[in-house]
Amino acid sequence: MTQQKRLCLNGHDELYIIDLNRLLYLQADDHYTDVYYSTGAHFLVPFGLVKIEERIAAMPDAKIYLLRLGRKYIVNTNRIFRINTTKELLYLADDEGNTLSLHVSKPVLRSLLELLKGDYLPAAT
């Protein structure tokens, strides 16, 4: 059984709970953020990415695998399936093995590749 990891965000009279075990990515939407789950579900929370990023930074376990990519995304790196710097696409896998792609700039993807390089085995030659 996996440990329940949750990010709790307090609003005026509301509490938003984001299940980090199911999180694919977060996408900025002006002063709001769209939350996308690996189950296909998504919803909007009334907090910007900066506020959410601050909360993630206070969570030692979560800040290891939740990574800010440019101005638009926070991505669950455990869900990365493929990175294509030429096409400027980042592919994430959902619970069913389906993939979805996010358009991310080449410099950001190259930085991500460098960051993740030590986590993976080199390709066979």
Side-chain angles (χ1 to χ4, degrees), residues 59-84:
M59 302 174 70
D61 293 342
K63 69 181 180 182
I64 294 169
Y65 64 90
L66 295 177
L67 186 62
R68 179 78 182 251
L69 297 181
R71 298 180 63 168
K72 196 171 181 178
Y73 300 112
I74 293 176
V75 174
N76 181 344
T77 60
N78 294 328
R79 295 291 185 158
I80 294 175
F81 172 73
R82 179 179 168 202
I83 300 170
N84 187 322

mmCIF file of all heavy atoms in Angstrom, residues 59-84:
data_model
loop_
_atom_site.group_PDB
_atom_site.id
_atom_site.type_symbol
_atom_site.label_atom_id
_atom_site.label_comp_id
_atom_site.label_asym_id
_atom_site.label_seq_id
_atom_site.Cartn_x
_atom_site.Cartn_y
_atom_site.Cartn_z
ATOM 1 N N MET A 59 7.372 20.562 1.837
ATOM 2 C CA MET A 59 7.143 19.115 1.947
ATOM 3 C C MET A 59 8.394 18.392 1.459
ATOM 4 O O MET A 59 8.584 18.254 0.251
ATOM 5 C CB MET A 59 5.948 18.699 1.093
ATOM 6 C CG MET A 59 4.660 19.406 1.447
ATOM 7 S SD MET A 59 3.351 19.006 0.297
ATOM 8 C CE MET A 59 3.044 17.304 0.709
ATOM 9 N N PRO A 60 9.265 17.943 2.346
ATOM 10 C CA PRO A 60 10.545 17.352 1.941
ATOM 11 C C PRO A 60 10.431 16.223 0.916
ATOM 12 O O PRO A 60 11.192 16.171 -0.041
ATOM 13 C CB PRO A 60 11.136 16.824 3.249
ATOM 14 C CG PRO A 60 10.429 17.556 4.320
ATOM 15 C CD PRO A 60 9.084 17.921 3.787
ATOM 16 N N ASP A 61 9.472 15.324 1.074
ATOM 17 C CA ASP A 61 9.330 14.208 0.134
ATOM 18 C C ASP A 61 8.817 14.668 -1.226
ATOM 19 O O ASP A 61 9.280 14.205 -2.260
ATOM 20 C CB ASP A 61 8.388 13.135 0.696
ATOM 21 C CG ASP A 61 8.970 12.456 1.915
ATOM 22 O OD1 ASP A 61 10.195 12.552 2.113
ATOM 23 O OD2 ASP A 61 8.201 11.843 2.664
ATOM 24 N N ALA A 62 7.846 15.567 -1.242
ATOM 25 C CA ALA A 62 7.219 15.997 -2.489
ATOM 26 C C ALA A 62 8.148 16.841 -3.351
ATOM 27 O O ALA A 62 8.123 16.730 -4.572
ATOM 28 C CB ALA A 62 5.938 16.768 -2.196
ATOM 29 N N LYS A 63 8.976 17.673 -2.735
ATOM 30 C CA LYS A 63 9.825 18.549 -3.544
ATOM 31 C C LYS A 63 10.888 17.780 -4.320
ATOM 32 O O LYS A 63 11.505 18.311 -5.221
ATOM 33 C CB LYS A 63 10.433 19.669 -2.712
ATOM 34 C CG LYS A 63 11.459 19.239 -1.702
ATOM 35 C CD LYS A 63 11.950 20.451 -0.943
ATOM 36 C CE LYS A 63 12.978 20.063 0.086
ATOM 37 N NZ LYS A 63 13.432 21.205 0.856
ATOM 38 N N ILE A 64 11.057 16.501 -3.986
ATOM 39 C CA ILE A 64 12.009 15.667 -4.717
ATOM 40 C C ILE A 64 11.484 15.313 -6.093
ATOM 41 O O ILE A 64 12.214 15.294 -7.071
ATOM 42 C CB ILE A 64 12.324 14.383 -3.913
ATOM 43 C CG1 ILE A 64 13.063 14.740 -2.635
ATOM 44 C CG2 ILE A 64 13.097 13.376 -4.747
ATOM 45 C CD1 ILE A 64 13.183 13.602 -1.649
ATOM 46 N N TYR A 65 10.189 15.023 -6.206
ATOM 47 C CA TYR A 65 9.644 14.559 -7.487
ATOM 48 C C TYR A 65 8.673 15.540 -8.152
ATOM 49 O O TYR A 65 8.289 15.331 -9.295
ATOM 50 C CB TYR A 65 8.983 13.184 -7.326
ATOM 51 C CG TYR A 65 7.788 13.174 -6.419
ATOM 52 C CD1 TYR A 65 6.517 13.402 -6.924
ATOM 53 C CD2 TYR A 65 7.919 12.938 -5.059
ATOM 54 C CE1 TYR A 65 5.410 13.393 -6.102
ATOM 55 C CE2 TYR A 65 6.828 12.920 -4.229
ATOM 56 C CZ TYR A 65 5.572 13.151 -4.748
ATOM 57 O OH TYR A 65 4.481 13.150 -3.941
ATOM 58 N N LEU A 66 8.270 16.609 -7.486
ATOM 59 C CA LEU A 66 7.436 17.630 -8.103
ATOM 60 C C LEU A 66 8.342 18.787 -8.503
ATOM 61 O O LEU A 66 8.952 19.419 -7.651
ATOM 62 C CB LEU A 66 6.344 18.095 -7.147
ATOM 63 C CG LEU A 66 5.308 17.052 -6.778
ATOM 64 C CD1 LEU A 66 4.323 17.616 -5.774
ATOM 65 C CD2 LEU A 66 4.583 16.528 -8.004
ATOM 66 N N LEU A 67 8.421 19.037 -9.783
ATOM 67 C CA LEU A 67 9.413 19.967 -10.307
ATOM 68 C C LEU A 67 8.755 21.050 -11.149
ATOM 69 O O LEU A 67 7.942 20.759 -12.024
ATOM 70 C CB LEU A 67 10.418 19.178 -11.152
ATOM 71 C CG LEU A 67 11.616 19.902 -11.696
ATOM 72 C CD1 LEU A 67 12.485 20.453 -10.565
ATOM 73 C CD2 LEU A 67 12.438 18.959 -12.558
ATOM 74 N N ARG A 68 9.128 22.294 -10.881
ATOM 75 C CA ARG A 68 8.636 23.428 -11.674
ATOM 76 C C ARG A 68 9.358 23.440 -13.008
ATOM 77 O O ARG A 68 10.584 23.371 -13.080
ATOM 78 C CB ARG A 68 8.909 24.734 -10.909
ATOM 79 C CG ARG A 68 8.491 26.000 -11.607
ATOM 80 C CD ARG A 68 6.998 26.216 -11.490
ATOM 81 N NE ARG A 68 6.546 27.390 -12.193
ATOM 82 C CZ ARG A 68 6.128 28.503 -11.599
ATOM 83 N NH1 ARG A 68 6.135 28.596 -10.290
ATOM 84 N NH2 ARG A 68 5.699 29.513 -12.316
ATOM 85 N N LEU A 69 8.585 23.519 -14.094
ATOM 86 C CA LEU A 69 9.135 23.592 -15.446
ATOM 87 C C LEU A 69 8.643 24.876 -16.102
ATOM 88 O O LEU A 69 7.487 24.966 -16.518
ATOM 89 C CB LEU A 69 8.713 22.386 -16.298
ATOM 90 C CG LEU A 69 9.193 21.026 -15.841
ATOM 91 C CD1 LEU A 69 8.706 19.943 -16.795
ATOM 92 C CD2 LEU A 69 10.707 20.976 -15.728
ATOM 93 N N GLY A 70 9.516 25.858 -16.162
ATOM 94 C CA GLY A 70 9.160 27.140 -16.762
ATOM 95 C C GLY A 70 8.098 27.864 -15.956
ATOM 96 O O GLY A 70 7.928 27.635 -14.759
ATOM 97 N N ARG A 71 7.340 28.711 -16.622
ATOM 98 C CA ARG A 71 6.327 29.510 -15.945
ATOM 99 C C ARG A 71 4.991 28.804 -15.853
ATOM 100 O O ARG A 71 4.112 29.214 -15.112
ATOM 101 C CB ARG A 71 6.125 30.823 -16.705
ATOM 102 C CG ARG A 71 7.372 31.679 -16.739
ATOM 103 C CD ARG A 71 7.124 32.936 -17.479
ATOM 104 N NE ARG A 71 6.110 33.699 -16.752
ATOM 105 C CZ ARG A 71 5.802 34.948 -16.989
ATOM 106 N NH1 ARG A 71 6.400 35.585 -17.946
ATOM 107 N NH2 ARG A 71 4.879 35.560 -16.294
ATOM 108 N N LYS A 72 4.843 27.728 -16.621
ATOM 109 C CA LYS A 72 3.517 27.164 -16.822
ATOM 110 C C LYS A 72 3.210 25.878 -16.045
ATOM 111 O O LYS A 72 2.052 25.606 -15.734
ATOM 112 C CB LYS A 72 3.347 26.896 -18.313
ATOM 113 C CG LYS A 72 1.946 26.673 -18.759
ATOM 114 C CD LYS A 72 1.891 26.652 -20.272
ATOM 115 C CE LYS A 72 0.476 26.460 -20.744
ATOM 116 N NZ LYS A 72 0.366 26.483 -22.181
ATOM 117 N N TYR A 73 4.229 25.084 -15.727
ATOM 118 C CA TYR A 73 3.963 23.745 -15.183
ATOM 119 C C TYR A 73 4.728 23.421 -13.900
ATOM 120 O O TYR A 73 5.843 23.883 -13.701
ATOM 121 C CB TYR A 73 4.368 22.668 -16.199
ATOM 122 C CG TYR A 73 3.658 22.737 -17.513
ATOM 123 C CD1 TYR A 73 4.351 23.076 -18.673
ATOM 124 C CD2 TYR A 73 2.305 22.445 -17.614
ATOM 125 C CE1 TYR A 73 3.711 23.131 -19.894
ATOM 126 C CE2 TYR A 73 1.660 22.494 -18.837
ATOM 127 C CZ TYR A 73 2.364 22.842 -19.969
ATOM 128 O OH TYR A 73 1.722 22.893 -21.175
ATOM 129 N N ILE A 74 4.117 22.564 -13.097
ATOM 130 C CA ILE A 74 4.793 21.771 -12.077
ATOM 131 C C ILE A 74 4.457 20.338 -12.447
ATOM 132 O O ILE A 74 3.274 19.989 -12.596
ATOM 133 C CB ILE A 74 4.320 22.098 -10.648
ATOM 134 C CG1 ILE A 74 4.730 23.518 -10.273
ATOM 135 C CG2 ILE A 74 4.907 21.090 -9.660
ATOM 136 C CD1 ILE A 74 4.233 23.975 -8.910
ATOM 137 N N VAL A 75 5.472 19.510 -12.641
ATOM 138 C CA VAL A 75 5.278 18.162 -13.166
ATOM 139 C C VAL A 75 5.722 17.125 -12.142
ATOM 140 O O VAL A 75 6.716 17.307 -11.441
ATOM 141 C CB VAL A 75 6.096 17.994 -14.478
ATOM 142 C CG1 VAL A 75 6.057 16.578 -14.981
ATOM 143 C CG2 VAL A 75 5.583 18.944 -15.537
ATOM 144 N N ASN A 76 4.974 16.032 -12.099
ATOM 145 C CA ASN A 76 5.361 14.877 -11.301
ATOM 146 C C ASN A 76 6.374 14.093 -12.126
ATOM 147 O O ASN A 76 6.020 13.434 -13.097
ATOM 148 C CB ASN A 76 4.124 14.016 -10.987
ATOM 149 C CG ASN A 76 4.448 12.824 -10.136
ATOM 150 O OD1 ASN A 76 5.610 12.429 -9.990
ATOM 151 N ND2 ASN A 76 3.416 12.223 -9.586
ATOM 152 N N THR A 77 7.645 14.167 -11.761
ATOM 153 C CA THR A 77 8.703 13.529 -12.555
ATOM 154 C C THR A 77 8.598 12.008 -12.546
ATOM 155 O O THR A 77 9.157 11.348 -13.424
ATOM 156 C CB THR A 77 10.107 13.955 -12.077
ATOM 157 O OG1 THR A 77 10.270 13.576 -10.710
ATOM 158 C CG2 THR A 77 10.312 15.447 -12.255
ATOM 159 N N ASN A 78 7.862 11.439 -11.594
ATOM 160 C CA ASN A 78 7.643 9.992 -11.589
ATOM 161 C C ASN A 78 6.750 9.545 -12.746
ATOM 162 O O ASN A 78 6.692 8.366 -13.057
ATOM 163 C CB ASN A 78 6.998 9.543 -10.271
ATOM 164 C CG ASN A 78 7.914 9.732 -9.101
ATOM 165 O OD1 ASN A 78 9.130 9.620 -9.222
ATOM 166 N ND2 ASN A 78 7.339 10.044 -7.951
ATOM 167 N N ARG A 79 6.068 10.483 -13.382
ATOM 168 C CA ARG A 79 5.152 10.181 -14.483
ATOM 169 C C ARG A 79 5.767 10.460 -15.854
ATOM 170 O O ARG A 79 5.107 10.263 -16.868
ATOM 171 C CB ARG A 79 3.876 11.003 -14.336
ATOM 172 C CG ARG A 79 3.066 10.663 -13.108
ATOM 173 C CD ARG A 79 2.484 9.293 -13.247
ATOM 174 N NE ARG A 79 1.605 8.991 -12.136
ATOM 175 C CZ ARG A 79 0.666 8.076 -12.204
ATOM 176 N NH1 ARG A 79 0.487 7.385 -13.291
ATOM 177 N NH2 ARG A 79 -0.085 7.836 -11.162
ATOM 178 N N ILE A 80 7.011 10.923 -15.888
ATOM 179 C CA ILE A 80 7.636 11.222 -17.185
ATOM 180 C C ILE A 80 7.889 9.927 -17.936
ATOM 181 O O ILE A 80 8.478 8.993 -17.419
ATOM 182 C CB ILE A 80 8.953 12.019 -17.012
ATOM 183 C CG1 ILE A 80 8.642 13.397 -16.438
ATOM 184 C CG2 ILE A 80 9.687 12.135 -18.349
ATOM 185 C CD1 ILE A 80 9.867 14.223 -16.119
ATOM 186 N N PHE A 81 7.422 9.904 -19.174
ATOM 187 C CA PHE A 81 7.560 8.741 -20.032
ATOM 188 C C PHE A 81 8.642 8.981 -21.094
ATOM 189 O O PHE A 81 9.398 8.095 -21.438
ATOM 190 C CB PHE A 81 6.205 8.458 -20.706
ATOM 191 C CG PHE A 81 6.245 7.406 -21.757
ATOM 192 C CD1 PHE A 81 6.376 6.078 -21.406
ATOM 193 C CD2 PHE A 81 6.154 7.737 -23.093
ATOM 194 C CE1 PHE A 81 6.422 5.091 -22.377
ATOM 195 C CE2 PHE A 81 6.190 6.769 -24.067
ATOM 196 C CZ PHE A 81 6.322 5.434 -23.706
ATOM 197 N N ARG A 82 8.706 10.206 -21.594
ATOM 198 C CA ARG A 82 9.632 10.530 -22.684
ATOM 199 C C ARG A 82 9.851 12.037 -22.719
ATOM 200 O O ARG A 82 8.958 12.809 -22.421
ATOM 201 C CB ARG A 82 9.008 10.048 -23.987
ATOM 202 C CG ARG A 82 9.797 10.318 -25.224
ATOM 203 C CD ARG A 82 9.045 9.740 -26.417
ATOM 204 N NE ARG A 82 9.613 10.204 -27.654
ATOM 205 C CZ ARG A 82 8.970 10.232 -28.790
ATOM 206 N NH1 ARG A 82 7.726 9.824 -28.856
ATOM 207 N NH2 ARG A 82 9.552 10.664 -29.878
ATOM 208 N N ILE A 83 11.056 12.418 -23.128
ATOM 209 C CA ILE A 83 11.390 13.827 -23.325
ATOM 210 C C ILE A 83 11.943 13.975 -24.735
ATOM 211 O O ILE A 83 12.884 13.276 -25.105
ATOM 212 C CB ILE A 83 12.452 14.306 -22.306
ATOM 213 C CG1 ILE A 83 11.936 14.131 -20.881
ATOM 214 C CG2 ILE A 83 12.843 15.754 -22.574
ATOM 215 C CD1 ILE A 83 12.990 14.341 -19.804
ATOM 216 N N ASN A 84 11.352 14.863 -25.524
ATOM 217 C CA ASN A 84 11.818 15.099 -26.887
ATOM 218 C C ASN A 84 12.152 16.582 -27.014
ATOM 219 O O ASN A 84 11.254 17.412 -27.179
ATOM 220 C CB ASN A 84 10.745 14.691 -27.898
ATOM 221 C CG ASN A 84 11.238 14.768 -29.330
ATOM 222 O OD1 ASN A 84 11.975 15.677 -29.688
ATOM 223 N ND2 ASN A 84 10.823 13.818 -30.135
#
